[in-house]
Amino acid sequence: MEIRFLSCAVFVCSAAYFTFAQADTAPGDVEINAISIDKPLTDVAGDPANGKKIFINRKQGNCLACHANSDMKDQLFHGEVGPSLDGAGTRWQEDHLRTILVNAKAVFGDQTVMPGFYSLEVGADVRKDLIGKTILQAQDIEDLVAYLSTLK
Amino acid sequence: MHFTNNKTLFTLIGIALCVTASATPVDEVLVIDEELEMTTRVQAVEGHPISEIYSGWHYRTPETRALEADSFANPGMLGVEQGEEIWHTVEGSEGKSCASCHDDAAVSMKGVGANYPKWDEKTQRPKNIEAQINSCRVENMGAEPYKFDKGGQKPLTAYIKNQSLGMPVELDLSEGEMQSWWEKGKETYYLRTGQLNLSCASCHEQNHGKHIRADHLSQGNVNGFPTYRLKQNKLISLHNRFRGCIRDTRAEFPDAFSDVLMGLEVYTTWRGTGLSVETPAVRQ
């Protein structure tokens, strides 16, 4: 009896969660507490394999421009502007990695050169076709968080 | 997953930076054709945020550096030769060439390019070599001004600057309103632009000596322009380079010779004070 009640509650709960969180959190609605964003930006769990692709892709994350990463030794040319991301998943919790990716300034301060990948706090004279757009999409951020968490 | 405190984090970052800071400028001397020793590193002018100034030459591969050290191998010298031809070519309604008035450029243009941009009383703004060429074409030759990067603009600019090869860059900021253009240029230099939210300083001041993907970041000095870019197989003008760097931040970029880019030329030229004119420098 008790068990049945519990599973029922879980069912109701997850159904409610689905209808509530169907839309991704918009860049302006992301809540950052200190350096934490504990709520995922989407309700689809991050896919680390896709996160790895976004990390490499020059048109998407292009993270290798600034970071070395031993997990992708096959890729030529790793940047040195930021620190190596080896062990990033050990140094950081997921909710902090999410903040670094959404808006690195919230973690490292205004002077950081790391772009905010899901933020509308951008520079002057943004290219016209990019006005109001973020560098990455909400799901890309979740995929990257999942991928970075594997870097132990 | 464990959260490490900020102190540990910054130590970690510090270690990572130390390890990667090996990609500094090479410790070598540029001697052109085994006789002309160039000043490619110099103590910065007063008020400069970096203490030692390096030419972009120090950040290039051994092969690229060698090309610049040999004027026969330097592919930019073809552009300079083209500029010499144009110097002697009659154009416009007055039936004159540059040489009709300025004669031997090796004499009349020696040292000129090292001190540009200069204040221009007529237009009440700084003029670079490109602007001076156009003013001579229009007013002294009765010819059409060159459009940006078109006609003889790049080769002739390279030819004129090459007459100052090895001479130190120095601006006179006391002329006219040069100082206020310097200020404007400085603002532009530190302005973060585009979706990537980066300024010139983000790359060339905070991170020179490091790799950004395959590119070894220099201090972004302008003493070698027009430069020969191996990637593009041609001479690249300074304002083209400025626009390319701004575009890469995913920003709209200003027009060539606009007030914004003229200010930037004044300011960045000042940052390289004391470096030898290297035109045509060879870059990747």
Side-chain angles (χ1 to χ4, degrees), chain B residues 103-155:
Chain B
D103 211 358
D104 184 0
V107 178
S108 65
M109 293 294 138
K110 194 178 166 84
V112 169
N115 303 320
Y116 268 69
K118 267 189 187 168
W119 184 248
D120 186 26
E121 281 299 335
K122 238 177 288 166
T123 57
Q124 289 292 301
R125 62 199 297 269
K127 60 177 174 189
N128 53 12
I129 292 291
E130 289 90 334
Q132 175 66 55
I133 292 172
N134 272 349
S135 127
C136 277
R137 282 178 62 84
V138 173
E139 282 158 36
N140 295 321
M141 295 168 68
E144 288 286 311
Y146 290 133
K147 292 204 173 76
F148 174 53
D149 273 357
K150 294 278 157 54
Q153 188 170 73
K154 284 190 285 177

Short mmCIF file of all heavy atoms in Angstrom, two decimals, chain B residues 103-155:
data_model
loop_
_atom_site.label_atom_id
_atom_site.label_comp_id
_atom_site.label_asym_id
_atom_site.label_seq_id
_atom_site.Cartn_x
_atom_site.Cartn_y
_atom_site.Cartn_z
N ASP B 103 61.42 62.60 -56.85
CA ASP B 103 62.70 62.10 -57.35
C ASP B 103 63.01 60.71 -56.79
O ASP B 103 62.16 59.84 -56.80
CB ASP B 103 63.79 63.11 -56.98
CG ASP B 103 64.93 63.12 -58.01
OD1 ASP B 103 64.87 62.31 -58.95
OD2 ASP B 103 65.86 63.93 -57.85
N ASP B 104 64.21 60.55 -56.25
CA ASP B 104 64.66 59.25 -55.75
C ASP B 104 64.06 58.98 -54.37
O ASP B 104 64.42 59.65 -53.40
CB ASP B 104 66.18 59.24 -55.67
CG ASP B 104 66.73 57.88 -55.26
OD1 ASP B 104 65.91 56.95 -55.03
OD2 ASP B 104 67.96 57.76 -55.15
N ALA B 105 63.18 57.98 -54.31
CA ALA B 105 62.51 57.69 -53.04
C ALA B 105 63.51 57.29 -51.94
O ALA B 105 63.27 57.56 -50.76
CB ALA B 105 61.48 56.58 -53.23
N ALA B 106 64.62 56.66 -52.33
CA ALA B 106 65.61 56.24 -51.33
C ALA B 106 66.14 57.45 -50.58
O ALA B 106 66.58 57.34 -49.43
CB ALA B 106 66.76 55.49 -52.02
N VAL B 107 66.06 58.61 -51.20
CA VAL B 107 66.49 59.85 -50.53
C VAL B 107 65.28 60.58 -49.94
O VAL B 107 65.20 60.83 -48.74
CB VAL B 107 67.24 60.78 -51.52
CG1 VAL B 107 67.64 62.08 -50.82
CG2 VAL B 107 68.44 60.07 -52.12
N SER B 108 64.29 60.86 -50.80
CA SER B 108 63.18 61.72 -50.36
C SER B 108 62.26 61.05 -49.35
O SER B 108 61.63 61.72 -48.54
CB SER B 108 62.37 62.20 -51.56
OG SER B 108 61.73 61.11 -52.20
N MET B 109 62.15 59.73 -49.39
CA MET B 109 61.21 59.04 -48.52
C MET B 109 61.90 58.33 -47.35
O MET B 109 61.25 57.69 -46.53
CB MET B 109 60.37 58.02 -49.32
CG MET B 109 59.44 58.69 -50.31
SD MET B 109 58.14 59.68 -49.49
CE MET B 109 58.10 61.14 -50.54
N LYS B 110 63.21 58.47 -47.26
CA LYS B 110 63.92 57.82 -46.16
C LYS B 110 63.46 58.41 -44.82
O LYS B 110 63.48 59.63 -44.64
CB LYS B 110 65.43 58.03 -46.33
CG LYS B 110 66.26 57.13 -45.44
CD LYS B 110 67.76 57.38 -45.71
CE LYS B 110 68.61 56.77 -44.63
NZ LYS B 110 68.89 55.36 -44.84
N GLY B 111 63.01 57.54 -43.94
CA GLY B 111 62.59 57.99 -42.61
C GLY B 111 61.15 58.49 -42.53
O GLY B 111 60.61 58.63 -41.44
N VAL B 112 60.54 58.74 -43.69
CA VAL B 112 59.18 59.29 -43.68
C VAL B 112 58.19 58.33 -43.01
O VAL B 112 57.47 58.69 -42.08
CB VAL B 112 58.72 59.65 -45.12
CG1 VAL B 112 57.23 59.96 -45.16
CG2 VAL B 112 59.52 60.84 -45.65
N GLY B 113 58.21 57.08 -43.48
CA GLY B 113 57.23 56.09 -42.98
C GLY B 113 57.37 55.78 -41.51
O GLY B 113 56.43 55.30 -40.88
N ALA B 114 58.53 56.05 -40.93
CA ALA B 114 58.76 55.74 -39.51
C ALA B 114 57.99 56.69 -38.59
O ALA B 114 57.80 56.40 -37.42
CB ALA B 114 60.25 55.79 -39.19
N ASN B 115 57.57 57.84 -39.16
CA ASN B 115 56.92 58.85 -38.31
C ASN B 115 55.45 59.08 -38.63
O ASN B 115 54.88 60.12 -38.28
CB ASN B 115 57.68 60.18 -38.42
CG ASN B 115 59.13 60.03 -38.05
OD1 ASN B 115 59.45 59.31 -37.10
ND2 ASN B 115 60.01 60.65 -38.81
N TYR B 116 54.86 58.15 -39.32
CA TYR B 116 53.43 58.25 -39.63
C TYR B 116 52.64 57.34 -38.70
O TYR B 116 53.17 56.36 -38.23
CB TYR B 116 53.20 57.84 -41.10
CG TYR B 116 53.25 59.03 -42.02
CD1 TYR B 116 54.45 59.71 -42.23
CD2 TYR B 116 52.11 59.50 -42.66
CE1 TYR B 116 54.51 60.80 -43.08
CE2 TYR B 116 52.17 60.61 -43.50
CZ TYR B 116 53.36 61.25 -43.71
OH TYR B 116 53.40 62.35 -44.54
N PRO B 117 51.34 57.68 -38.42
CA PRO B 117 50.55 58.82 -38.88
C PRO B 117 51.04 60.16 -38.31
O PRO B 117 51.57 60.22 -37.22
CB PRO B 117 49.14 58.51 -38.36
CG PRO B 117 49.15 57.10 -37.90
CD PRO B 117 50.55 56.74 -37.62
N LYS B 118 50.78 61.19 -39.14
CA LYS B 118 51.13 62.56 -38.78
C LYS B 118 49.87 63.40 -38.75
O LYS B 118 48.88 63.04 -39.38
CB LYS B 118 52.01 63.14 -39.89
CG LYS B 118 53.49 63.00 -39.66
CD LYS B 118 54.20 63.81 -40.71
CE LYS B 118 55.69 63.58 -40.62
NZ LYS B 118 56.37 64.12 -41.83
N TRP B 119 49.94 64.53 -38.08
CA TRP B 119 48.80 65.43 -38.06
C TRP B 119 48.65 66.11 -39.41
O TRP B 119 49.64 66.55 -39.99
CB TRP B 119 48.96 66.48 -36.96
CG TRP B 119 47.75 67.37 -36.85
CD1 TRP B 119 47.69 68.70 -37.16
CD2 TRP B 119 46.44 66.97 -36.44
NE1 TRP B 119 46.41 69.15 -36.95
CE2 TRP B 119 45.62 68.11 -36.51
CE3 TRP B 119 45.88 65.76 -36.02
CZ2 TRP B 119 44.27 68.10 -36.18
CZ3 TRP B 119 44.53 65.74 -35.69
CH2 TRP B 119 43.74 66.88 -35.77
N ASP B 120 47.44 66.20 -39.93
CA ASP B 120 47.18 66.84 -41.21
C ASP B 120 46.35 68.10 -40.97
O ASP B 120 45.18 68.02 -40.62
CB ASP B 120 46.44 65.87 -42.13
CG ASP B 120 46.27 66.43 -43.54
OD1 ASP B 120 47.09 67.29 -43.95
OD2 ASP B 120 45.31 66.01 -44.22
N GLU B 121 46.98 69.25 -41.17
CA GLU B 121 46.30 70.53 -40.93
C GLU B 121 45.06 70.68 -41.81
O GLU B 121 44.03 71.16 -41.36
CB GLU B 121 47.25 71.70 -41.21
CG GLU B 121 48.25 71.99 -40.08
CD GLU B 121 47.56 72.36 -38.77
OE1 GLU B 121 46.42 72.87 -38.81
OE2 GLU B 121 48.16 72.12 -37.69
N LYS B 122 45.22 70.24 -43.06
CA LYS B 122 44.14 70.46 -44.02
C LYS B 122 42.84 69.77 -43.60
O LYS B 122 41.78 70.36 -43.61
CB LYS B 122 44.57 69.95 -45.40
CG LYS B 122 44.52 71.03 -46.47
CD LYS B 122 45.03 70.49 -47.81
CE LYS B 122 46.54 70.26 -47.80
NZ LYS B 122 47.03 69.46 -48.91
N THR B 123 42.97 68.50 -43.26
CA THR B 123 41.76 67.74 -42.93
C THR B 123 41.47 67.74 -41.43
O THR B 123 40.45 67.23 -40.99
CB THR B 123 41.88 66.28 -43.40
OG1 THR B 123 43.04 65.71 -42.79
CG2 THR B 123 42.02 66.20 -44.90
N GLN B 124 42.40 68.29 -40.64
CA GLN B 124 42.24 68.31 -39.18
C GLN B 124 42.05 66.92 -38.59
O GLN B 124 41.22 66.72 -37.71
CB GLN B 124 41.08 69.24 -38.78
CG GLN B 124 41.40 70.71 -39.00
CD GLN B 124 42.47 71.22 -38.03
OE1 GLN B 124 42.32 71.18 -36.81
NE2 GLN B 124 43.61 71.67 -38.57
N ARG B 125 42.79 65.97 -39.14
CA ARG B 125 42.81 64.63 -38.56
C ARG B 125 44.17 64.01 -38.88
O ARG B 125 44.90 64.54 -39.70
CB ARG B 125 41.62 63.78 -39.06
CG ARG B 125 41.58 63.51 -40.54
CD ARG B 125 40.19 63.08 -41.03
NE ARG B 125 39.72 61.83 -40.45
CZ ARG B 125 39.91 60.63 -40.99
NH1 ARG B 125 40.60 60.46 -42.11
NH2 ARG B 125 39.40 59.54 -40.40
N PRO B 126 44.50 62.89 -38.23
CA PRO B 126 45.78 62.27 -38.56
C PRO B 126 45.72 61.68 -39.96
O PRO B 126 44.66 61.25 -40.41
CB PRO B 126 45.90 61.13 -37.53
CG PRO B 126 44.83 61.35 -36.53
CD PRO B 126 43.76 62.13 -37.19
N LYS B 127 46.85 61.70 -40.66
CA LYS B 127 46.91 61.04 -41.97
C LYS B 127 47.94 59.93 -41.89
O LYS B 127 48.99 60.08 -41.26
CB LYS B 127 47.28 62.03 -43.08
CG LYS B 127 48.64 62.69 -42.88
CD LYS B 127 49.03 63.62 -44.03
CE LYS B 127 50.33 64.36 -43.68
NZ LYS B 127 50.69 65.42 -44.62
N ASN B 128 47.61 58.80 -42.52
CA ASN B 128 48.61 57.73 -42.64
C ASN B 128 49.22 57.81 -44.04
O ASN B 128 48.88 58.71 -44.82
CB ASN B 128 47.98 56.37 -42.33
CG ASN B 128 46.73 56.11 -43.16
OD1 ASN B 128 46.45 56.82 -44.12
ND2 ASN B 128 45.99 55.07 -42.79
N ILE B 129 50.14 56.92 -44.35
CA ILE B 129 50.79 56.96 -45.66
C ILE B 129 49.77 56.82 -46.79
O ILE B 129 49.83 57.52 -47.80
CB ILE B 129 51.88 55.86 -45.77
CG1 ILE B 129 53.05 56.18 -44.83
CG2 ILE B 129 52.37 55.71 -47.20
CD1 ILE B 129 53.90 57.37 -45.23
N GLU B 130 48.80 55.96 -46.57
CA GLU B 130 47.76 55.76 -47.60
C GLU B 130 47.04 57.08 -47.90
O GLU B 130 46.75 57.39 -49.06
CB GLU B 130 46.74 54.71 -47.13
CG GLU B 130 47.27 53.27 -47.11
CD GLU B 130 47.92 52.86 -45.78
OE1 GLU B 130 48.41 53.76 -45.05
OE2 GLU B 130 47.94 51.65 -45.48
N ALA B 131 46.73 57.83 -46.85
CA ALA B 131 46.02 59.11 -47.03
C ALA B 131 46.92 60.13 -47.73
O ALA B 131 46.46 60.90 -48.59
CB ALA B 131 45.55 59.65 -45.68
N GLN B 132 48.21 60.12 -47.38
CA GLN B 132 49.14 61.06 -48.02
C GLN B 132 49.27 60.74 -49.51
O GLN B 132 49.30 61.64 -50.36
CB GLN B 132 50.50 61.00 -47.33
CG GLN B 132 51.58 61.85 -48.00
CD GLN B 132 51.28 63.34 -47.91
OE1 GLN B 132 51.07 63.88 -46.83
NE2 GLN B 132 51.26 64.02 -49.07
N ILE B 133 49.34 59.46 -49.84
CA ILE B 133 49.43 59.06 -51.25
C ILE B 133 48.20 59.59 -52.00
O ILE B 133 48.31 60.20 -53.07
CB ILE B 133 49.51 57.52 -51.39
CG1 ILE B 133 50.85 57.01 -50.86
CG2 ILE B 133 49.32 57.10 -52.85
CD1 ILE B 133 50.95 55.48 -50.77
N ASN B 134 47.04 59.38 -51.42
CA ASN B 134 45.82 59.84 -52.09
C ASN B 134 45.79 61.35 -52.23
O ASN B 134 45.36 61.87 -53.24
CB ASN B 134 44.57 59.35 -51.35
CG ASN B 134 44.14 57.97 -51.82
OD1 ASN B 134 44.64 57.48 -52.84
ND2 ASN B 134 43.23 57.35 -51.10
N SER B 135 46.28 62.04 -51.22
CA SER B 135 46.25 63.50 -51.32
C SER B 135 47.20 63.96 -52.43
O SER B 135 46.86 64.86 -53.21
CB SER B 135 46.53 64.11 -49.94
OG SER B 135 47.57 65.04 -50.00
N CYS B 136 48.36 63.33 -52.58
CA CYS B 136 49.26 63.69 -53.69
C CYS B 136 48.65 63.31 -55.04
O CYS B 136 48.79 64.04 -56.01
CB CYS B 136 50.63 63.04 -53.53
SG CYS B 136 51.71 63.98 -52.42
N ARG B 137 47.98 62.16 -55.07
CA ARG B 137 47.37 61.77 -56.35
C ARG B 137 46.31 62.78 -56.78
O ARG B 137 46.28 63.22 -57.93
CB ARG B 137 46.75 60.37 -56.25
CG ARG B 137 47.78 59.25 -56.35
CD ARG B 137 47.13 57.88 -56.21
NE ARG B 137 46.16 57.59 -57.27
CZ ARG B 137 46.47 57.10 -58.46
NH1 ARG B 137 47.74 56.86 -58.76
NH2 ARG B 137 45.53 56.86 -59.36
N VAL B 138 45.48 63.19 -55.86
CA VAL B 138 44.37 64.08 -56.21
C VAL B 138 44.88 65.51 -56.45
O VAL B 138 44.61 66.11 -57.49
CB VAL B 138 43.30 64.08 -55.10
CG1 VAL B 138 42.23 65.13 -55.36
CG2 VAL B 138 42.68 62.69 -54.98
N GLU B 139 45.63 66.04 -55.49
CA GLU B 139 46.00 67.45 -55.56
C GLU B 139 47.21 67.75 -56.43
O GLU B 139 47.31 68.82 -57.01
CB GLU B 139 46.23 68.00 -54.15
CG GLU B 139 44.90 68.26 -53.46
CD GLU B 139 45.03 68.29 -51.96
OE1 GLU B 139 46.07 68.78 -51.48
OE2 GLU B 139 44.10 67.81 -51.28
N ASN B 140 48.15 66.80 -56.49
CA ASN B 140 49.37 67.08 -57.24
C ASN B 140 49.45 66.41 -58.60
O ASN B 140 50.26 66.78 -59.44
CB ASN B 140 50.60 66.68 -56.42
CG ASN B 140 50.73 67.53 -55.16
OD1 ASN B 140 50.45 68.73 -55.19
ND2 ASN B 140 51.11 66.92 -54.06
N MET B 141 48.63 65.38 -58.81
CA MET B 141 48.71 64.66 -60.08
C MET B 141 47.42 64.75 -60.90
O MET B 141 47.41 64.40 -62.08
CB MET B 141 49.05 63.18 -59.83
CG MET B 141 50.43 63.00 -59.21
SD MET B 141 50.70 61.31 -58.58
CE MET B 141 50.74 60.35 -60.07
N GLY B 142 46.34 65.18 -60.29
CA GLY B 142 45.06 65.16 -60.99
C GLY B 142 44.61 63.74 -61.28
O GLY B 142 44.04 63.45 -62.34
N ALA B 143 44.90 62.82 -60.36
CA ALA B 143 44.50 61.41 -60.54
C ALA B 143 43.44 61.05 -59.51
O ALA B 143 43.22 61.78 -58.54
CB ALA B 143 45.72 60.49 -60.38
N GLU B 144 42.79 59.92 -59.74
CA GLU B 144 41.77 59.43 -58.80
C GLU B 144 42.45 58.93 -57.52
O GLU B 144 43.53 58.32 -57.59
CB GLU B 144 41.04 58.23 -59.42
CG GLU B 144 40.10 58.60 -60.55
CD GLU B 144 38.85 59.29 -60.04
OE1 GLU B 144 38.23 58.76 -59.10
OE2 GLU B 144 38.51 60.38 -60.57
N PRO B 145 41.81 59.13 -56.37
CA PRO B 145 42.36 58.51 -55.15
C PRO B 145 42.19 56.99 -55.22
O PRO B 145 41.26 56.51 -55.85
CB PRO B 145 41.49 59.10 -54.03
CG PRO B 145 40.20 59.47 -54.69
CD PRO B 145 40.54 59.84 -56.11
N TYR B 146 43.11 56.28 -54.60
CA TYR B 146 42.94 54.82 -54.53
C TYR B 146 41.84 54.50 -53.54
O TYR B 146 41.75 55.09 -52.47
CB TYR B 146 44.21 54.15 -54.01
CG TYR B 146 45.39 54.16 -54.95
CD1 TYR B 146 46.66 54.53 -54.47
CD2 TYR B 146 45.27 53.76 -56.27
CE1 TYR B 146 47.77 54.51 -55.31
CE2 TYR B 146 46.38 53.75 -57.12
CZ TYR B 146 47.62 54.13 -56.63
OH TYR B 146 48.71 54.11 -57.43
N LYS B 147 41.02 53.50 -53.89
CA LYS B 147 40.06 52.98 -52.91
C LYS B 147 40.83 52.04 -51.98
O LYS B 147 41.90 51.53 -52.33
CB LYS B 147 38.96 52.21 -53.63
CG LYS B 147 38.07 53.12 -54.48
CD LYS B 147 36.70 52.48 -54.67
CE LYS B 147 35.73 53.42 -55.36
NZ LYS B 147 36.01 53.53 -56.81
N PHE B 148 40.26 51.78 -50.81
CA PHE B 148 40.91 50.94 -49.81
C PHE B 148 41.41 49.62 -50.40
O PHE B 148 40.64 48.88 -51.02
CB PHE B 148 39.92 50.64 -48.67
CG PHE B 148 40.43 49.66 -47.66
CD1 PHE B 148 41.65 49.84 -47.04
CD2 PHE B 148 39.68 48.54 -47.33
CE1 PHE B 148 42.13 48.93 -46.10
CE2 PHE B 148 40.14 47.62 -46.39
CZ PHE B 148 41.37 47.82 -45.78
N ASP B 149 42.69 49.39 -50.22
CA ASP B 149 43.35 48.14 -50.65
C ASP B 149 43.37 47.94 -52.16
O ASP B 149 43.75 46.87 -52.62
CB ASP B 149 42.70 46.91 -49.98
CG ASP B 149 43.32 46.59 -48.62
OD1 ASP B 149 44.28 47.29 -48.21
OD2 ASP B 149 42.84 45.65 -47.96
N LYS B 150 42.96 48.96 -52.93
CA LYS B 150 42.86 48.78 -54.37
C LYS B 150 43.99 49.52 -55.08
O LYS B 150 44.71 50.32 -54.49
CB LYS B 150 41.51 49.30 -54.88
CG LYS B 150 40.32 48.49 -54.37
CD LYS B 150 40.11 47.25 -55.21
CE LYS B 150 39.35 46.13 -54.50
NZ LYS B 150 38.06 46.55 -53.94
N GLY B 151 44.09 49.25 -56.40
CA GLY B 151 45.06 49.92 -57.24
C GLY B 151 46.46 49.74 -56.66
O GLY B 151 46.82 48.66 -56.23
N GLY B 152 47.21 50.85 -56.61
CA GLY B 152 48.58 50.74 -56.12
C GLY B 152 48.71 51.00 -54.63
O GLY B 152 49.81 51.18 -54.12
N GLN B 153 47.59 51.04 -53.91
CA GLN B 153 47.68 51.49 -52.51
C GLN B 153 48.63 50.66 -51.65
O GLN B 153 49.48 51.22 -50.95
CB GLN B 153 46.28 51.50 -51.87
CG GLN B 153 46.28 52.15 -50.50
CD GLN B 153 44.87 52.39 -49.98
OE1 GLN B 153 44.19 51.46 -49.59
NE2 GLN B 153 44.45 53.63 -49.99
N LYS B 154 48.48 49.34 -51.69
CA LYS B 154 49.34 48.51 -50.83
C LYS B 154 50.80 48.51 -51.29
O LYS B 154 51.70 48.75 -50.48
CB LYS B 154 48.79 47.08 -50.75
CG LYS B 154 47.56 46.97 -49.83
CD LYS B 154 47.18 45.53 -49.56
CE LYS B 154 46.50 44.90 -50.77
NZ LYS B 154 46.19 43.48 -50.55
N PRO B 155 51.07 48.26 -52.59
CA PRO B 155 52.49 48.25 -53.01
C PRO B 155 53.18 49.60 -52.80
O PRO B 155 54.34 49.64 -52.37
CB PRO B 155 52.43 47.87 -54.49
CG PRO B 155 51.02 47.86 -54.90
CD PRO B 155 50.18 47.79 -53.66
#
